[in-house]
Amino acid sequence: MSSSRAHKWKKVFKSLRLYIIVIMVIAVLGTAYQVILQDALLRNFQELGTALAKSYVSEESNNLTVYETLMSFGTHSINEQEKAGSSDEEIESWIGTYYQQMQSVIGSNSIDPYAILNGKLIAANPWEGDDTFDYESAVWYQLAIEADGGVIFTDVYTDPISQKPVITIAQKCQDSDTVLAFDIFSENLQIHSNTLQFPDNSSYYVCDGRGTLIYKQSSQKRNMDELQEYINSILSRIKDGSLDAYDTYIDDLDGHRRGVYYHSMSNGWIIIITIPFDTILAQSNQFSILLGLVLCLCIGGILIVAWRDLRLYSQVERTNETVRVLGNSYFALYRVDYQDETYEMIKGSDYVRSQIPPKGPYSELLRTVAELIQPDTFVEFQKSFSPESMRNLVTKRIRDYGGDFLRKFGDEYRWVNVRILFDESLAPDEVVLCFREVDEEKQQQFRERKLLENALENAKRSEKTKHAFFNNMSHDMRTPLNAILGLSQLVRQNIHDPEKVQGYMDKIYYSSRQLLDLVNDILDMSRMEQGKVILNNETFDLKQCIEDCTSTFSIQAQAEKKHFSVNYSMYHSTVMGDSVRMSQIMNNLLSNAFKFTSEGDSISVTVKQFEDKDYSQYQIVVQDTGIGMSKDFLPQLFEPYARETTFSSRQISGTGLGMPIVKNLVTQMSGQINVDSEVGVGSTFTVTVPFTVVREEKSGPEPKNIPVFSLEGKKILLAEDNMVNMEIATEILSMNGVDIVQAWNGLEALSSFRESKPFEFDAILMDMQMPQMDGCEAARNIRALSRPDARTIPIIAVTANAFAEDIAATTAAGMNAHVSKPIDFNILCQTLEKLIHNI
């Protein structure tokens, strides 16, 4: 008995000795790992903090761009008026109007604008003594003069009138000493982000060039004087470089260690982010606790190591059971050698096991899969999971690839998810092909999508304007904003090259005009959700329009290392149409092409005119070599919120409204859009739109002894709801001796005609789309009046809607003719001559 007990203790001691060694190794390795972990965390957080600071420098710069854009627009307009010889009173009047418009954009009482015009101070909010104010000694004035046309931001200073902290933004006109300035109190300055997201208990500060604190988001509850002193100490250490190392820190006002990360803005301001060391080293602290617990458990385990051996074996078995349970999540698992093109069945369904052996050629496995998948889906499956595709995925290190498809189980089809997984360090020539049934999840997704679509449909009916703005305008404004920022940087880099600067400025002006048009069209965008878009029919250069769009993407292509080309084959590029909507179509197509391509891919734009006629078809082809789309998804491409989900290695972001918007616009232009795409090959979008060609009028000998019809003395009722269109039409007709009576909507037109004497009017020019009563309804009501001239007076539709269905609608309403905008006076004169003579 004693011998047996001694033998047992010997075994226990041997086991204890082994465990003690293991514990010591764990302690040493754990301590070393903790040191390495802390070092890695500090390095990673330095990169994170610096990246955050740079990101918010960019965001704050974007916020300040609003003020720069408004300032540049104002000085540019004043400069143009001065060059045109406008008087001081006219410029002062324009400045007053500009101030009011600016307040509507930024918000009332957010800024205090004023200007120096010919030595005179013009203030939107005059103050006592402004007529004797020595503006030449003011810092903002001196900085604006020195900047010579550049926008300047002063540091924070105390306003002598309100005694509050204030910042002045100013800019000098290009060709004169006129200076435009805004005073912005620091609490009204729109510089901070609305969605700041930092690690726990982090602080965010914005300081001006002198270190004055402008904005804070801090977890430290202190007054401004204490925070300013704290910021001064940080700035001092930033200046002397003592905070540059990744493991340096400061003690905050609560005595806690913090990492400091910062970046300067182009105007001299600085962004500072501080993150507590407790947050940075949270994982390390957790590891220390965990390590201590492990060591304690190990020491305690030494005393009971003998009888824990059996439990250890039991735990190993339970672990194996757990692995088997995880394996049960997949109904089929195959190891595929894509070099030898063979498979090994780890786990298979009953049907597959009855058809093929546990190992064999991969082609046999594909043949069996083909019997269970719908034919169209199998073609794509075979291509996506071929040995060549597997080699390509491994080469590109795409570690998780797959998608969903319908598989036959008995007499029904259910949704299955297939994934390719691999680890080249373990099996360099092998991948694991996993099949898991996801029918319930898929059906739940469909139900959720249906609920979401219904919810969105209800939201569209109740908040159409808000929905259109946030889902469409933000997308449309991003490209010109990026162009303005990028081109502005190029201007700074090429300031001594006037030719390049002029080209950049032209593109900046184009992008700015595009932004302005988008802002002015917010209400018009809401109609897009209803399938109604008002198109402007005006003369524009189609080639120049496309070049303006593609030039901004050329810069993006260079930055992303993608091949980008544009080719033209046109007889005439000057056409009648809506250049803004064409730009919107191009921006959507090119944005998608760049989004779904990678470095080294190609994107091309080809523009072609089919025939040299007055009414020609123009074809625009946008082609890329990106990831492409499946054939099954293409019919859904133009449906709102549709997403490609089959066999893809990347997650797609965005609203899903880009292509429906393009489809809507192309349809409104009486055009067509077609798409051809293949997964892994790329996509081709073909837009075909008809345009009226605008040709230069050729001079020739004037005809002799031909009587010319004159409108002199004619009286015409003009119905038009657009003020500018009304002014233009009235001016043109009045210059030709026509007596015009204006009506601003269909109801006014009907009333004016009803109250006139019989045959008082010679003709009626009627716009189609007007408030209260449209042109067609007004025409029908006029024809229905019981007076002798109601059925005979010529009514001419004057509108931008020139499609066949629009002409048919005017004819059905009783109108005699149709003249498209912009009005060609010769055509209008001929039409009136024909109709008036036929009365």
Side-chain angles (χ1 to χ4, degrees), residues 331-334 336 343 352 362-390 393 401-408 414-420 431-436 630-632 644-648 678-679:
F331 66 82
L333 295 167
Y334 303 91
V336 179
Y343 75 89
V352 174
Y362 182 62
S363 59
E364 290 296 312
L365 175 60
L366 289 179
R367 178 188 59 79
T368 305
V369 172
E371 300 172 5
L372 302 171
I373 302 180
Q374 295 173 340
D376 292 340
T377 304
F378 178 73
V379 172
E380 186 179 354
F381 181 97
Q382 187 177 30
K383 184 176 181 180
S384 298
F385 299 98
S386 65
E388 180 180 356
S389 176
M390 293 177 181
L393 292 171
Y401 179 87
D404 301 336
F405 65 95
L406 285 170
R407 180 196 187 274
K408 190 175 184 180
R414 297 198 295 269
W415 284 98
V416 168
N417 177 265
V418 57
R419 313 302 300 176
I420 284 183
V431 300
V432 178
L433 202 59
C434 310
F435 296 83
R436 182 169 66 93
S630 65
K631 299 298 182 183
D632 290 340
E644 167 72 295
T645 60
T646 305
F647 308 136
S648 173
E678 184 176 353
V679 174

Side-chain angles (χ1 to χ4, degrees), residues 253-273:
L253 297 175
D254 296 324
H256 299 144
R257 293 183 179 182
R258 285 177 172 265
V260 179
Y261 315 100
Y262 57 91
H263 200 72
S264 298
M265 297 173 63
S266 60
N267 63 353
W269 295 4
I270 186 169
I271 300 293
I272 299 174
I273 298 172

Side-chain angles (χ1 to χ4, degrees), residues 23 238 249 268 447 490 553 565 829:
I23 291 173
I238 289 175
Y249 60 88
R447 290 191 292 269
L490 291 176
F553 287 95
S565 62
C829 185

